[in-house]
Amino acid sequence: MSPSVTRRASRRRLAGTVSVLLAVGVVLTGLVQAAPSTNPHPLDPRITAVMRKPDYRHAQWGLFQQNPGSGEVTRSRYADQFFLPGSTAKLFSVSGTWHTLGGDHRFVTPVHAVGQRRGSTLKGNLDLVAQGDLTLGGRTRKDGTVAFTTIDHTYADDVPGATLTPEDPLAGIDQLARQVRDSGIRQVDGDVVIDARLFRPDPVLDPTPTPLIVNDNLIDLLTTPGSRAGTPAGLDWRPKVAPYHVTSAVRTVAAGQPTAIDVTSSRDGTRIRLSGTIAAGSAPVLRVSDIKDPNAFGRTAMIEALQRAGVRVRAKAVGPNPAARLPHSYQGAPTVARYTSPPYAQYAKLILKVSHNLGANLGMCLMAATAKSTDCEDGFPVLAAFLDRAHVDRRAVQLADGRGGNPVDRTTPRALAQILTYWQRTPEAARFRTSLPILGVDGLLADSCRHCPSRGKVFAKTGTVAGGDTLNDRLAVGAETAAGYLETRKGHFDVFFDGVNGASTPGADINGVLTIGDDVADIAAYLQQQSSAGH
């Protein structure tokens, strides 16, 4: 048995063990109970007031602020103790992917004609070779940037207020189909095959990346209330691809009554049903359902797009992806279409602004691919080598995924400051900094501090780890964190971390978690204000 196989097997056993811990609501705490460091400068009283709230009696706050140029530390509390990072762990994985691929890297997804051309007929197959493009045109604006909303559709089942971008999730597929037509092919006497050999999906990474991704491998389900109580609710869904079929039994209830919508699906995910209630006069409610077989979905989507473009495919549109028909290589098979993505820096911006979990995990697989491996775990040595070059103390970081959702993930505040300091010393400092949520402006910090003096002066990745505390009928908040940059004076930025581990909400309402997030954002604002007042 090769070392890589041994490592993968042992990791699977470990994952099975910790998943049981998570299922019963166990939150693993830091491994070292170190005393907090002395703050070189006194804390703003507003910060200490937040930390001393009764809600945080059993919790632990961490704090770190440093001038990356001089190295001067101005705030420090448990700076070298492990914290659950939540999605601040994405600062490591996205940085590694950005460095490895390059911020200007574009994913080029080709379609090859495999077979013989006879006039406008292809006697053979069209092979779409998936390249790990995160959106495949489904979020790309006309100006080439990637669209996002404050609360992304990938969080629709967990966080209230998730919305859709207006872009067509099948835009890239349609563009490829039109290019096939423009190449002169009007009929395919064969099949469409998705070549997903770039890497093997790794279920330890949750959500699990796939080489072909359409609409984040999700079906969007948008429910709107009827005109009055008692009437059926309206339903729209996307992307509409056979054989997916959606029905709804959601009914409208009186204004002010509870909105509660459940989604169920068949085992293969193609039959989706919504049930429940939506209050009259309320905003539309978004839910999502998983695409269980992204390759079969992509194949059908491509055949249907070809039909819309005027290209007839002899094979049936609905069916499994015939991967066994893929050639050993594409030498001699002309490229008849290619879709070119926006630069990776745009994808990094999406991942960081909305905390896109699939995109962060995808980075591990993409780093593995640069090492000529189809095993996503081989992305971790690539990331490790980058962190060493970036002068991040790797002993102060524990990661088993790219998104910060694995129960073993840990980091110290100082290690986060180190990766943030690395970027400040590169030509892409501003590009990276503005990829983070901006306080009161966009991303997951858009609704915080809209009118406070720190608006637009805090750039930070946020993170949340939460789960049900069934014993006390509340939510256990393992982590609520933020790490990024504070503009202390025009053009000058300190790196910082502030966050709490081991908090809990008064009840089982998700809004209690959002309140803790507001406290973390407020502390970041107070740090910025206190620092700028000192100059």
Side-chain angles (χ1 to χ4, degrees):
M1 185 178 289
S2 69
S4 63
V5 173
T6 303
R7 184 178 68 250
R8 183 161 59 249
S10 62
R11 189 171 181 225
R12 293 290 185 275
R13 288 193 293 271
L14 177 61
T17 301
V18 296
S19 67
V20 174
L21 295 177
L22 286 181
V24 297
V26 173
V27 177
L28 306 178
T29 57
L31 303 180
V32 180
Q33 293 298 322
S37 303
T38 302
N39 286 299
H41 300 275
L43 286 177
D44 187 310
R46 295 174 295 179
I47 294 176
T48 55
V50 171
M51 292 180 172
R52 290 172 180 169
K53 283 184 177 181
D55 292 346
Y56 302 121
R57 181 175 54 173
H58 302 298
Q60 179 169 288
W61 283 89
L63 199 65
F64 191 75
Q65 182 181 346
Q66 184 177 34
N67 181 321
S70 67
E72 179 189 7
V73 175
T74 53
R75 311 281 185 271
S76 180
R77 179 184 174 90
Y78 294 116
D80 296 301
Q81 180 167 333
F82 274 136
F83 278 77
L84 290 167
S87 286
T88 57
K90 292 181 174 71
L91 292 169
F92 298 117
S93 60
V94 171
S95 294
T97 310
W98 187 322
H99 173 83
T100 302
L101 299 178
D104 292 323
H105 173 81
R106 295 176 186 266
F107 300 87
V108 180
T109 302
V111 175
H112 292 281
V114 181
Q116 298 296 318
R117 287 278 297 270
R118 295 181 180 175
S120 62
T121 299
L122 172 64
K123 298 287 187 178
N125 302 324
L126 289 174
D127 289 6
L128 188 159
V129 186
Q131 299 293 311
D133 186 331
L134 179 58
T135 72
L136 201 61
R139 293 179 186 250
T140 305
R141 301 186 182 102
K142 291 182 179 179
D143 64 359
T145 59
V146 172
F148 58 89
T149 61
T150 299
I151 302 176
D152 192 63
H153 77 139
T154 55
Y155 286 97
D157 290 347
D158 302 309
V159 182
T163 55
L164 296 171
T165 62
E167 286 71 27
D168 180 0
L170 296 176
I173 296 287
D174 280 330
Q175 188 178 127
L176 286 169
R178 290 192 295 268
Q179 289 183 35
V180 170
R181 178 201 60 201
D182 292 344
S183 76
I185 295 175
R186 293 292 187 273
Q187 180 161 320
V188 178
D189 285 348
D191 211 329
V192 170
V193 190
I194 303 301
D195 185 339
R197 294 178 291 188
L198 182 67
F199 58 81
R200 298 189 303 274
D202 184 346
V204 174
L205 299 176
D206 181 21
T208 301
T210 51
L212 180 71
I213 298 171
V214 177
N215 200 46
D216 300 312
N217 292 339
L218 296 172
I219 301 293
D220 296 317
L221 311 161
L222 191 66
T223 299
T224 54
S227 57
R228 63 185 184 280
T231 60
L235 170 69
D236 194 13
W237 60 281
R238 69 176 203 183
K240 292 183 172 68
V241 172
Y244 283 75
H245 182 68
V246 183
T247 58
S248 175
V250 178
R251 58 187 178 86
T252 309
V253 295
Q257 292 296 306
T259 292
I261 298 174
D262 294 321
V263 178
T264 57
S265 68
S266 58
R267 180 171 295 185
D268 66 359
T270 63
R271 293 293 182 268
I272 302 167
R273 180 173 175 79
L274 289 80
S275 60
T277 59
I278 185 170
S282 65
V285 174
L286 181 65
R287 294 287 186 266
V288 292
S289 186
D290 290 339
I291 294 171
K292 301 292 180 64
D293 188 341
N295 295 331
F297 182 91
R299 173 187 172 273
T300 298
M302 186 65 184
I303 291 175
E304 292 181 341
L306 287 164
Q307 292 170 345
R308 290 192 295 271
V311 179
R312 181 175 178 272
V313 179
R314 183 176 295 276
K316 292 181 179 179
V318 175
N321 181 52
R325 302 182 65 177
L326 291 170
H328 178 71
S329 77
Y330 290 103
Q331 185 174 358
T335 301
V336 292
R338 56 170 56 87
Y339 179 79
T340 302
S341 77
Y344 177 76
Q346 278 292 311
Y347 285 168
K349 187 174 185 178
L350 168 67
I351 296 166
L352 295 170
K353 292 286 190 186
V354 309
S355 208
H356 196 285
N357 291 324
L358 180 64
N361 279 344
L362 176 64
M364 304 310 304
C365 303
L366 295 174
M367 284 188 279
T370 66
K372 308 301 183 185
S373 173
T374 60
D375 185 341
C376 293
E377 288 189 31
D378 287 331
F380 287 95
V382 178
L383 176 59
F386 160 71
L387 293 178
D388 289 343
R389 289 193 296 271
H391 301 293
V392 175
D393 180 5
R394 229 180 340 117
R395 296 168 299 175
V397 182
Q398 295 178 177
L399 286 179
D401 64 6
R403 74 176 184 98
N406 193 288
V408 307
D409 291 348
R410 296 289 186 280
T411 184
T412 67
R414 194 184 303 273
L416 284 165
Q418 288 168 345
I419 191 62
L420 293 162
T421 296
Y422 160 79
W423 282 106
Q424 281 296 94
R425 296 170 179 169
T426 72
E428 294 193 289
R431 195 181 191 186
F432 179 80
R433 184 176 62 251
T434 54
S435 295
L436 302 175
I438 303 174
L439 189 67
V441 176
D442 64 16
L444 291 177
L445 289 176
D447 294 328
S448 300
C449 199
R450 282 187 175 272
H451 305 290
C452 80
S454 298
R455 183 181 186 272
K457 298 177 182 178
V458 177
F459 308 77
K461 181 71 200 76
T462 59
T464 303
V465 177
D469 174 7
T470 307
L471 178 66
N472 297 292
D473 191 26
R474 62 183 181 179
L475 297 177
V477 184
E480 191 67 49
T481 56
Y485 302 96
L486 309 170
E487 187 169 23
T488 57
R489 64 183 189 277
K490 190 171 180 59
H492 291 264
F493 301 90
D494 277 6
V495 296
F496 86 97
F497 166 90
D498 85 270
V500 61
N501 275 191
S504 55
T505 62
D509 189 341
I510 186 66
N511 287 301
V513 179
L514 304 181
T515 298
I516 297 173
D518 287 341
D519 283 345
V520 170
D522 285 346
I523 288 178
Y526 300 150
L527 286 172
Q528 189 278 326
Q529 292 163 30
Q530 185 178 13
S531 300
S532 60
H535 289 284

